[in-house]
Amino acid sequence: MPGIFISYRRQDSAGWAGHLTDRLKEQFGADNIFMDIEAIEAGVDFVEAINTAVSSCQVLLAIIGPQWLTLTDPRGRRRLDIPEDFIRLEIAAALNRNVRVVPVLVGGAEMPKPEELPEDIRPLTRRQAQELTDSRWDYDVEQLIKTLCKVLGIPFRKDEPHPQPQPSPSPTPPLPTPEKKESFFSSRKIIGGAAVLFILTMIGLCSQQRPTPPIQSVTPAPEPVRPAVANVAGRWSSPDGKTYLIVQTGNQIALSVIINNQVTEVQAQGTINGNVMELRWQSMHGHWGSMVLTVSSDGRTVNGNINNDTIRQTYPLVLSR
């Protein structure tokens, strides 16, 4: 099967690209997904390496995050304006070789305008984009996968829940052996009938003498009150001078750690319940982990821990706004 090439900037959309890649590998297989062309060996012509990698694929997904258009290099040049920029080379190679290019918008990003792009990748603005929102991630990714299946000419496979085993029916008990019929006027049935009549009469007399207890109404227990979700949207600061930008939609949280006012160092997604945030994050350096943060009662500070699963260490975190 022809492969899928994922073009993304680590400083802009590493977290979203990583989650999307995991889902695509489940659907199409790990051998058919190509990313991280930046890991080119020393001495290899990187332009030729990119052209070869892109040519082996039928689809290129251009992951566009909030800073995809504006990120700069250490010298202050916009990366897209640099002819040797990897992202520019990847997209230009796909457009020139008639590879299907699908812009994928993440983190609330919008499609760039033609005048904002270099001439060799300006046709990207005429391609229909697919938006992946944090609030309905699974649904949006499924729609993208269906589109890719049509392009690649393969059936869409959706994992169905396994049916629960049903208990086997109990065996039917054998029918009782019919007894030999006796005459209704036999002495045995007359005596039995009289005994039953006597028992029923005594029960009736007892029920008349014993008062019926009053019916007591049962009040249902009140449902537990769920705590209100704290509002954490906005810009936060840490003692080391980093900016934490939080986007909140209901109880869904998207967090970005920005350094030097332009470079996204960490991206995280998760939820907030009451005043407790639980998120999974990925850094531009390829590290993964989780964080649990608690919002103060006045909503002005956040305290918690950051767990780095890559190196198995935990760090305290304090934010304020």
Side-chain angles (χ1 to χ4, degrees):
M1 182 189 75
I4 301 171
F5 191 99
I6 300 179
S7 172
Y8 75 102
R9 292 196 188 279
R10 292 184 179 180
Q11 299 90 337
D12 175 61
S13 55
W16 289 290
H19 292 310
L20 175 61
T21 300
D22 292 341
R23 182 63 183 89
L24 295 179
K25 288 180 179 179
E26 295 176 2
Q27 179 74 31
F28 303 105
D31 294 338
N32 299 306
I33 308 299
F34 301 89
M35 63 185 303
D36 283 338
I37 194 62
E38 292 183 354
I40 299 176
E41 296 180 0
V44 175
D45 186 323
F46 60 86
V47 175
E48 182 179 347
I50 289 176
N51 287 332
T52 301
V54 172
S55 300
S56 64
C57 298
Q58 189 172 342
V59 180
L60 181 140
L61 301 182
I63 312 298
I64 300 177
Q67 303 179 76
W68 183 87
L69 191 65
T70 58
L71 274 174
T72 58
D73 67 358
R75 297 170 56 185
R77 299 177 300 173
R78 194 178 71 146
R79 292 184 180 273
L80 284 176
D81 293 330
I82 303 173
E84 297 81 14
D85 177 59
F86 281 114
I87 302 303
R88 177 175 171 178
L89 289 172
E90 291 167 358
I91 296 176
L95 294 172
N96 290 334
R97 296 176 178 272
N98 201 30
V99 174
R100 175 72 69 94
V101 179
V102 180
V104 179
L105 308 178
V106 297
E110 299 180 354
M111 277 294 294
K113 299 180 177 61
E115 60 271 17
E116 295 176 318
L117 297 179
E119 185 176 355
D120 55 351
I121 62 172
R122 198 164 292 173
L124 177 68
T125 60
R126 300 198 299 265
R127 304 300 175 101
Q128 181 65 32
Q130 172 70 49
E131 183 179 12
L132 304 183
T133 58
D134 296 331
S135 59
R136 55 179 188 180
W137 176 267
D138 291 338
Y139 173 80
D140 290 342
V141 171
E142 183 175 298
Q143 299 308 305
L144 175 61
I145 290 177
K146 288 181 179 179
T147 300
L148 295 176
C149 287
K150 291 180 181 179
V151 174
L152 300 175
I154 63 175
F156 171 71
R157 175 181 56 82
K158 183 174 182 179
D159 294 333
E160 299 292 344
H162 298 290
Q164 297 294 329
Q166 300 294 329
S168 57
S170 302
T172 304
L175 297 176
T177 303
E179 298 180 355
K180 182 180 180 180
K181 296 184 178 180
E182 296 183 357
S183 172
F184 177 80
F185 296 101
S186 64
S187 59
R188 181 182 301 175
K189 288 199 172 182
I190 293 176
I191 296 174
V196 172
L197 180 61
F198 175 76
I199 293 173
L200 293 176
T201 302
M202 295 302 295
I203 292 176
L205 292 175
C206 293
S207 63
Q208 293 177 1
Q209 296 177 1
R210 182 178 300 173
T212 303
I215 299 176
Q216 298 180 355
S217 60
V218 180
T219 303
E223 296 184 358
V225 179
R226 296 183 178 180
V229 176
N231 182 6
V232 295
R235 300 177 73 89
W236 297 76
S237 300
S238 60
D240 57 0
K242 295 181 180 179
T243 298
Y244 288 68
L245 179 61
I246 298 180
V247 178
Q248 180 176 1
T249 305
N251 71 332
Q252 300 295 314
I253 298 294
L255 180 148
S256 301
V257 182
I258 302 175
I259 58 177
N260 299 329
N261 294 325
Q262 58 183 359
V263 178
T264 301
E265 183 182 37
V266 175
Q267 291 177 331
Q269 293 87 34
T271 59
I272 179 170
N273 295 305
N275 66 335
V276 178
M277 292 184 284
E278 297 183 1
L279 305 101
R280 295 289 301 175
W281 60 267
Q282 181 184 11
S283 73
M284 60 184 291
H285 308 293
H287 288 201
W288 295 80
S290 62
M291 59 178 72
V292 179
L293 309 174
T294 302
V295 186
S296 63
S297 57
D298 60 3
R300 299 185 62 84
T301 59
V302 168
N303 291 272
N305 292 318
I306 298 179
N307 301 312
N308 190 326
D309 296 343
T310 307
I311 59 177
R312 298 183 180 179
Q313 292 186 4
T314 301
Y315 310 94
L317 177 64
V318 177
L319 302 178
S320 61
R321 65 176 175 182

